[in-house]
């Protein structure tokens, strides 16, 4: 049995992971669960899966381990074989570092770990011979396509995007988009921040950076295509111009199950893709005029130890302001870009410096919003 710790167990990824584990209780021993503030659900999960060790990062009561560093302490005390990091935002960066430092394989759903400090996390994983297995559907798809393939045979990576709820909406009406509008994703059921990031397509900028670090591919060899049906989860084109694609219904339990069972595959009690139906698979170029966020990935990776961290932190602040109706939808990307411009001269080389840069970016973005 694999000893597993799930960070962010009460969120959409965490609850889906527990659903996968429920299908194979003989394969996993849940050594610990963490949440931010949802004490009631965390307690129910702990009882249902007989978990002795729980952690809360946002409250001072209701779990065995408490405080801002509770997720890191949970990893240290539980001694897992694998950590599923499903924490939202840059708060997941240091727990990812802790996981690889303690030789636990890292099933990574927290893309911000790589956006914030990709060079540091990948370097530590190499030092400890720790595997980082992506959980994001796009990166899981690429990871699956690259099994048994030589790195130097890769011509480009192709990330697919649903296009969000506004792919067909005129740009001139973006100023009128409300949080309720933006939270209506046409395909996926996700957390609030990532749903807004899908609507602005900022999530694709973050995913380009994540893919660049994960697969050691420069951003100019990573393309994004809008694929509204969300059936092709991503693709790899090789030097011989052959393309591998990973397909399936849009269900996060598939990449979660693959990450937890890799290098094997588990049977999952899920509905298969029905080829008797007309699938109608289509692809479109990204409209960079409507969705300027995508191009920010290349700009950020011009200063890879600084600007990706700034970009993510500013986006977290801008999205929160939009959800609280303090910022217009069409101003989210503007706040992010202006924060990047303001802090392009900063330096950060270690985890502590990145945390300080993250803080400075948040203050700068908030100042722009005000």
């Amino acid at each position: 049995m694999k000893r597993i710790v799930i960070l962010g167990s009460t969120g959409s990824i965490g609850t889906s992971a527990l659903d996968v584990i429920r299908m194979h209780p003989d394969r996993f021993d849940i050594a610990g669960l963490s949440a931010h503030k949802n004490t009631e659900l965390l307690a129910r999960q702990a009882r249902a899966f007989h978990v002795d060790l729980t952690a809360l990062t946002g409250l001072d009561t209701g779990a065995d381990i408490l405080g801002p560093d509770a997720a890191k302490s949970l990893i240290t005390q539980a001694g897992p074989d694998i950590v599923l990091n499903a924490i939202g935002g840059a708060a997941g960066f240091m727990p990812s570092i802790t996981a690889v430092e303690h030789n636990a394989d890292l099933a990574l759903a927290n893309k911000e770990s790589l956006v914030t400090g990709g060079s540091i996390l990948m370097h530590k994983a190499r030092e400890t011979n720790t595997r980082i297995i992506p959980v994001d559907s796009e990166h899981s798809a690429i990871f699956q396509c690259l099994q048994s393939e030589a790195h130097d045979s890769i011509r480009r990576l192709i990330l697919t995007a649903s296009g969000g709820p506004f792919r067909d909406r005129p740009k001139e009406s973006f100023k009128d988009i409300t949080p309720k509008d933006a939270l209506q994703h046409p395909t996926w059921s996700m957390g609030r921040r990532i749903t807004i990031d899908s609507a602005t397509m900022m999530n694709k900028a973050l995913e380009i950076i994540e893919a660049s670090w994960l697969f050691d591919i420069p951003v100019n060899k990573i393309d994004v295509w809008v694929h509204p049906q969300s059936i092709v989860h991503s693709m790899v084109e090789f030097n011989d111009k052959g393309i591998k694609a990973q397909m399936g219904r849009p269900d996060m339990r598939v990449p979660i199950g693959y990450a937890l069972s890799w290098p094997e595959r588990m049977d999952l009690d899920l509905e298969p893709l029905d080829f008797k139906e007309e699938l109608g698979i289509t692809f479109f170029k990204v409209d960079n005029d409507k969705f300027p966020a995508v191009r920010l990935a290349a700009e950020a990776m011009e200063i890879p130890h600084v600007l990706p961290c700034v970009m993510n932190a500013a986006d977290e602040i801008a999205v929160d302001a939009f959800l609280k109706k303090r910022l217009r939808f069409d101003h989210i990307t503007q706040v992010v870009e202006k924060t990047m411009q303001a802090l392009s001269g900063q330096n950060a080389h270690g985890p502590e410096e990145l945390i300080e840069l993250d803080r400075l970016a948040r203050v700068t973005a908030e100042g722009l919003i005000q």
Side-chain angles (χ1 to χ4, degrees):
M1 297 180 76
K2 286 185 180 179
R3 283 178 59 79
I4 181 171
V5 160
I6 301 176
L7 308 179
S9 67
T10 60
S12 61
I13 296 294
T15 53
S16 293
L18 290 172
D19 194 27
V20 169
I21 291 170
R22 194 177 286 111
M23 297 180 195
H24 292 277
D26 57 319
R27 296 182 64 131
F28 301 98
D29 173 22
I30 301 179
L33 299 173
S34 87
H36 185 54
K37 290 183 177 180
N38 196 337
T39 54
E40 291 185 9
L41 180 53
L42 181 67
R44 290 201 303 271
Q45 291 173 339
R47 287 194 299 269
F49 290 89
H50 308 290
V51 180
D52 294 327
L53 205 55
T54 58
L56 282 168
T57 57
L59 294 174
D60 58 4
T61 185
D64 302 301
I65 307 170
L66 303 164
D69 293 329
K72 293 165 55 180
S73 298
L74 177 63
I75 295 167
T76 303
Q77 294 185 37
D81 302 310
I82 184 168
V83 173
L84 171 61
N85 187 348
I87 293 173
F93 171 56
M94 288 306 297
S96 287
I97 294 289
T98 301
V100 299
E101 285 179 340
H102 285 78
N103 297 102
D105 288 341
L106 179 60
L108 189 59
N110 175 260
K111 65 171 63 70
E112 293 85 357
S113 292
L114 287 166
V115 174
T116 298
S119 62
I120 294 171
L121 182 59
M122 296 306 293
H123 177 72
K124 286 190 177 291
R126 287 189 294 270
E127 276 188 335
T128 58
N129 196 29
T130 301
R131 289 179 288 265
I132 299 178
I133 308 166
V135 171
D136 275 352
S137 61
E138 297 84 356
H139 301 82
S140 175
I142 291 169
F143 183 73
Q144 293 179 55
C145 290
L146 289 177
Q147 297 301 299
S148 303
E149 299 286 357
H151 184 269
D152 60 6
S153 70
I154 302 168
R155 183 169 183 265
R156 62 172 172 156
L157 307 181
I158 304 167
L159 296 171
T160 57
S162 70
F166 308 129
R167 59 178 177 257
D168 299 319
R169 181 165 174 156
K171 179 186 176 183
E172 53 269 23
S173 71
F174 275 23
K175 66 181 185 300
D176 301 318
I177 290 172
T178 67
K180 183 179 179 181
D181 296 333
L183 289 169
Q184 303 302 311
H185 195 279
T187 309
W188 295 94
S189 176
M190 305 176 291
R192 286 163 64 85
R193 189 239 170 151
I194 192 172
T195 303
I196 303 302
D197 279 348
S198 179
T200 63
M201 292 198 70
M202 182 64 74
N203 68 319
K204 289 302 144 182
L206 300 175
E207 287 173 8
I208 289 169
I209 295 170
E210 180 183 8
S212 180
W213 289 119
L214 267 175
F215 305 113
D216 192 22
I217 298 290
V219 292
N220 64 357
K221 290 189 174 183
I222 304 174
D223 291 344
V224 175
W225 286 83
V226 175
H227 168 52
Q229 297 82 17
S230 297
I231 291 172
V232 177
H233 299 304
S234 277
M235 298 176 276
V236 178
E237 183 180 44
F238 298 93
N239 291 332
D240 62 2
K241 311 308 182 291
I243 295 176
K244 278 187 179 181
Q246 190 268 331
M247 302 171 61
R249 290 186 178 275
D251 190 326
M252 282 305 299
R253 290 174 294 181
V254 176
I256 291 168
Y258 188 76
L260 296 185
S261 64
W262 185 85
E264 302 174 12
R265 286 184 184 268
M266 298 186 296
D267 290 338
L268 295 178
D269 186 17
L270 305 175
E271 189 175 353
L273 191 62
D274 187 358
F275 283 92
K276 295 177 183 177
E277 300 176 2
E278 177 62 52
L279 296 179
I281 294 175
T282 53
F283 299 95
F284 306 97
K285 289 184 177 180
V286 175
D287 186 334
N288 288 308
D289 185 50
K290 285 172 63 174
F291 301 105
V294 178
R295 65 173 169 77
L296 292 183
E299 296 178 20
M301 288 299 276
E302 290 177 3
I303 313 178
H305 303 292
V306 173
L307 288 186
C309 174
V310 172
M311 183 177 76
N312 176 75
D315 181 60
E316 287 191 34
I317 293 298
V319 168
D320 182 68
F322 168 68
L323 289 169
K324 292 176 179 175
K325 300 182 179 180
R326 297 176 52 236
L327 184 69
R328 274 177 23 190
F329 178 83
D330 58 331
H331 288 169
I332 294 173
T333 302
Q334 291 183 34
V335 167
V336 174
E337 185 168 19
K338 289 181 179 181
T339 305
M340 290 169 62
Q341 292 168 353
L343 299 181
S344 61
Q346 296 293 314
N347 287 298
H349 301 289
E352 292 76 16
E353 289 175 310
L354 281 171
I355 291 170
E356 174 56 24
L357 179 62
D358 175 271
R359 185 198 66 79
L360 180 60
R362 292 169 190 272
V363 171
T364 303
E366 181 59 39
L368 288 167
I369 291 165
Q370 291 181 5

